[in-house]
Short mmCIF file of all heavy atoms in Angstrom, two decimals:
data_model
loop_
_atom_site.label_atom_id
_atom_site.label_comp_id
_atom_site.label_asym_id
_atom_site.label_seq_id
_atom_site.Cartn_x
_atom_site.Cartn_y
_atom_site.Cartn_z
N SER E 522 68.94 166.32 155.24
CA SER E 522 68.25 166.25 153.95
C SER E 522 69.18 166.68 152.81
O SER E 522 69.27 166.01 151.77
CB SER E 522 67.00 167.13 153.97
OG SER E 522 66.40 167.17 152.70
N GLU E 523 69.87 167.79 153.02
CA GLU E 523 70.77 168.31 151.98
C GLU E 523 71.91 167.35 151.69
O GLU E 523 72.23 167.07 150.52
CB GLU E 523 71.32 169.68 152.42
CG GLU E 523 72.18 170.38 151.40
CD GLU E 523 73.64 169.93 151.39
OE1 GLU E 523 74.16 169.64 152.49
OE2 GLU E 523 74.25 169.85 150.29
N VAL E 524 72.52 166.80 152.73
CA VAL E 524 73.67 165.93 152.55
C VAL E 524 73.27 164.59 151.93
O VAL E 524 73.96 164.08 151.04
CB VAL E 524 74.39 165.70 153.91
CG1 VAL E 524 75.50 164.67 153.77
CG2 VAL E 524 74.97 167.00 154.42
N SER E 525 72.16 164.03 152.37
CA SER E 525 71.74 162.74 151.80
C SER E 525 71.45 162.86 150.31
O SER E 525 71.81 161.97 149.52
CB SER E 525 70.50 162.22 152.54
OG SER E 525 69.40 163.09 152.38
N LYS E 526 70.85 163.97 149.90
CA LYS E 526 70.54 164.17 148.48
C LYS E 526 71.81 164.43 147.67
O LYS E 526 72.00 163.86 146.58
CB LYS E 526 69.58 165.35 148.32
CG LYS E 526 69.15 165.59 146.88
CD LYS E 526 68.12 166.71 146.81
CE LYS E 526 67.65 166.93 145.38
NZ LYS E 526 66.61 168.00 145.32
N ARG E 527 72.68 165.26 148.20
CA ARG E 527 73.91 165.60 147.48
C ARG E 527 74.82 164.39 147.32
O ARG E 527 75.43 164.18 146.27
CB ARG E 527 74.64 166.74 148.20
CG ARG E 527 76.01 167.07 147.64
CD ARG E 527 76.52 168.40 148.14
NE ARG E 527 76.44 168.55 149.57
CZ ARG E 527 77.39 168.13 150.43
NH1 ARG E 527 78.47 167.52 149.96
NH2 ARG E 527 77.26 168.33 151.73
N LEU E 528 74.92 163.56 148.36
CA LEU E 528 75.82 162.41 148.33
C LEU E 528 75.13 161.14 147.83
O LEU E 528 75.79 160.11 147.67
CB LEU E 528 76.40 162.17 149.73
CG LEU E 528 77.22 163.33 150.32
CD1 LEU E 528 77.68 162.99 151.73
CD2 LEU E 528 78.42 163.67 149.44
N ARG E 529 73.81 161.21 147.64
CA ARG E 529 73.04 160.05 147.17
C ARG E 529 73.20 158.86 148.12
O ARG E 529 73.49 157.73 147.69
CB ARG E 529 73.42 159.66 145.75
CG ARG E 529 73.32 160.78 144.73
CD ARG E 529 71.90 161.26 144.57
NE ARG E 529 71.00 160.21 144.06
CZ ARG E 529 69.67 160.34 143.96
NH1 ARG E 529 69.10 161.47 144.37
NH2 ARG E 529 68.93 159.36 143.47
N ILE E 530 73.00 159.12 149.41
CA ILE E 530 73.11 158.06 150.42
C ILE E 530 71.87 158.08 151.30
O ILE E 530 71.10 159.05 151.31
CB ILE E 530 74.37 158.22 151.30
CG1 ILE E 530 74.31 159.56 152.05
CG2 ILE E 530 75.64 158.10 150.48
CD1 ILE E 530 75.41 159.74 153.09
N THR E 531 71.67 157.00 152.04
CA THR E 531 70.60 156.92 153.04
C THR E 531 71.20 157.26 154.40
O THR E 531 72.29 156.79 154.75
CB THR E 531 69.98 155.51 153.08
OG1 THR E 531 69.42 155.22 151.80
CG2 THR E 531 68.89 155.43 154.13
N ILE E 532 70.49 158.10 155.16
CA ILE E 532 70.98 158.50 156.48
C ILE E 532 69.94 158.14 157.55
O ILE E 532 68.78 158.53 157.45
CB ILE E 532 71.27 160.02 156.55
CG1 ILE E 532 72.38 160.40 155.57
CG2 ILE E 532 71.65 160.42 157.97
CD1 ILE E 532 72.67 161.89 155.51
N ILE E 533 70.38 157.36 158.53
CA ILE E 533 69.60 157.16 159.75
C ILE E 533 70.12 158.22 160.72
O ILE E 533 71.21 158.08 161.28
CB ILE E 533 69.78 155.74 160.34
CG1 ILE E 533 69.57 154.66 159.28
CG2 ILE E 533 68.86 155.54 161.54
CD1 ILE E 533 68.17 154.56 158.75
N GLY E 534 69.33 159.28 160.89
CA GLY E 534 69.87 160.49 161.52
C GLY E 534 69.94 160.48 163.03
O GLY E 534 69.60 161.50 163.68
N GLY E 535 70.42 159.38 163.60
CA GLY E 535 70.56 159.33 165.05
C GLY E 535 69.27 159.76 165.71
O GLY E 535 68.20 159.29 165.35
N SER E 536 69.36 160.67 166.66
CA SER E 536 68.14 161.28 167.19
C SER E 536 68.44 162.68 167.68
O SER E 536 69.58 163.02 168.01
CB SER E 536 67.52 160.44 168.31
OG SER E 536 68.22 160.59 169.52
N ILE E 537 67.38 163.50 167.68
CA ILE E 537 67.45 164.85 168.22
C ILE E 537 66.18 165.11 169.03
O ILE E 537 65.17 164.42 168.84
CB ILE E 537 67.57 165.92 167.10
CG1 ILE E 537 66.32 165.92 166.22
CG2 ILE E 537 68.83 165.68 166.27
CD1 ILE E 537 66.27 167.06 165.21
N PRO E 538 66.19 166.11 169.92
CA PRO E 538 64.95 166.46 170.62
C PRO E 538 63.99 167.12 169.62
O PRO E 538 64.38 168.03 168.88
CB PRO E 538 65.41 167.45 171.69
CG PRO E 538 66.90 167.31 171.77
CD PRO E 538 67.35 166.88 170.43
N GLU E 539 62.75 166.64 169.60
CA GLU E 539 61.74 167.19 168.69
C GLU E 539 60.63 167.85 169.50
O GLU E 539 60.14 167.30 170.48
CB GLU E 539 61.13 166.07 167.84
CG GLU E 539 60.02 166.56 166.91
CD GLU E 539 59.21 165.44 166.29
OE1 GLU E 539 59.27 164.30 166.79
OE2 GLU E 539 58.48 165.71 165.30
N ARG E 540 60.22 169.05 169.03
CA ARG E 540 59.11 169.75 169.69
C ARG E 540 57.86 169.66 168.82
O ARG E 540 57.88 169.99 167.63
CB ARG E 540 59.47 171.22 169.92
CG ARG E 540 58.39 172.00 170.69
CD ARG E 540 58.77 173.45 170.89
NE ARG E 540 60.00 173.58 171.66
CZ ARG E 540 60.07 173.49 172.98
NH1 ARG E 540 58.96 173.26 173.69
NH2 ARG E 540 61.22 173.65 173.61
N VAL E 541 56.76 169.21 169.42
CA VAL E 541 55.45 169.19 168.76
C VAL E 541 54.46 169.81 169.73
O VAL E 541 54.03 169.16 170.70
CB VAL E 541 55.02 167.75 168.40
CG1 VAL E 541 53.66 167.78 167.70
CG2 VAL E 541 56.05 167.08 167.52
N GLY E 542 54.10 171.07 169.51
CA GLY E 542 53.25 171.77 170.46
C GLY E 542 53.95 171.90 171.79
O GLY E 542 55.08 172.40 171.87
N ASP E 543 53.31 171.42 172.84
CA ASP E 543 53.92 171.49 174.17
C ASP E 543 54.61 170.18 174.57
O ASP E 543 54.97 169.99 175.73
CB ASP E 543 52.88 171.87 175.22
CG ASP E 543 51.73 170.85 175.30
OD1 ASP E 543 51.68 169.94 174.44
OD2 ASP E 543 50.89 170.97 176.21
N ARG E 544 54.80 169.28 173.59
CA ARG E 544 55.44 168.00 173.87
C ARG E 544 56.82 167.92 173.24
O ARG E 544 57.09 168.50 172.19
CB ARG E 544 54.57 166.84 173.35
CG ARG E 544 53.26 166.69 174.08
CD ARG E 544 52.51 165.46 173.61
NE ARG E 544 51.30 165.22 174.38
CZ ARG E 544 50.52 164.16 174.26
NH1 ARG E 544 50.82 163.22 173.36
NH2 ARG E 544 49.44 164.02 175.00
N LEU E 545 57.68 167.15 173.92
CA LEU E 545 59.02 166.88 173.40
C LEU E 545 59.18 165.38 173.19
O LEU E 545 58.70 164.58 173.99
CB LEU E 545 60.09 167.37 174.38
CG LEU E 545 60.14 168.86 174.69
CD1 LEU E 545 61.21 169.13 175.75
CD2 LEU E 545 60.45 169.66 173.43
N TYR E 546 59.86 165.04 172.10
CA TYR E 546 60.14 163.63 171.79
C TYR E 546 61.63 163.46 171.51
O TYR E 546 62.33 164.40 171.12
CB TYR E 546 59.36 163.19 170.55
CG TYR E 546 57.85 163.21 170.70
CD1 TYR E 546 57.12 164.33 170.32
CD2 TYR E 546 57.16 162.11 171.20
CE1 TYR E 546 55.74 164.36 170.45
CE2 TYR E 546 55.77 162.13 171.33
CZ TYR E 546 55.07 163.26 170.95
OH TYR E 546 53.71 163.29 171.07
N ASN E 547 62.10 162.23 171.68
CA ASN E 547 63.45 161.84 171.28
C ASN E 547 63.26 161.14 169.92
O ASN E 547 62.76 160.01 169.87
CB ASN E 547 64.04 160.89 172.32
CG ASN E 547 65.48 160.54 172.05
OD1 ASN E 547 65.98 160.69 170.95
ND2 ASN E 547 66.17 160.03 173.08
N THR E 548 63.66 161.81 168.83
CA THR E 548 63.20 161.41 167.50
C THR E 548 64.34 161.12 166.53
O THR E 548 65.31 161.88 166.44
CB THR E 548 62.30 162.51 166.91
OG1 THR E 548 61.19 162.72 167.78
CG2 THR E 548 61.80 162.14 165.53
N CYS E 549 64.19 160.02 165.81
CA CYS E 549 65.13 159.63 164.75
C CYS E 549 64.48 159.85 163.40
O CYS E 549 63.36 159.39 163.15
CB CYS E 549 65.51 158.15 164.90
SG CYS E 549 66.54 157.51 163.55
#
Side-chain angles (χ1 to χ4, degrees):
S522 174
E523 184 277 324
V524 173
S525 63
K526 183 176 182 179
R527 173 165 50 86
L528 300 177
R529 305 296 298 173
I530 61 172
T531 299
I532 297 177
I533 309 294
S536 77
I537 64 172
E539 178 192 17
R540 184 181 299 280
V541 181
D543 60 352
R544 293 185 175 186
L545 297 176
Y546 296 93
N547 186 341
T548 301
C549 174

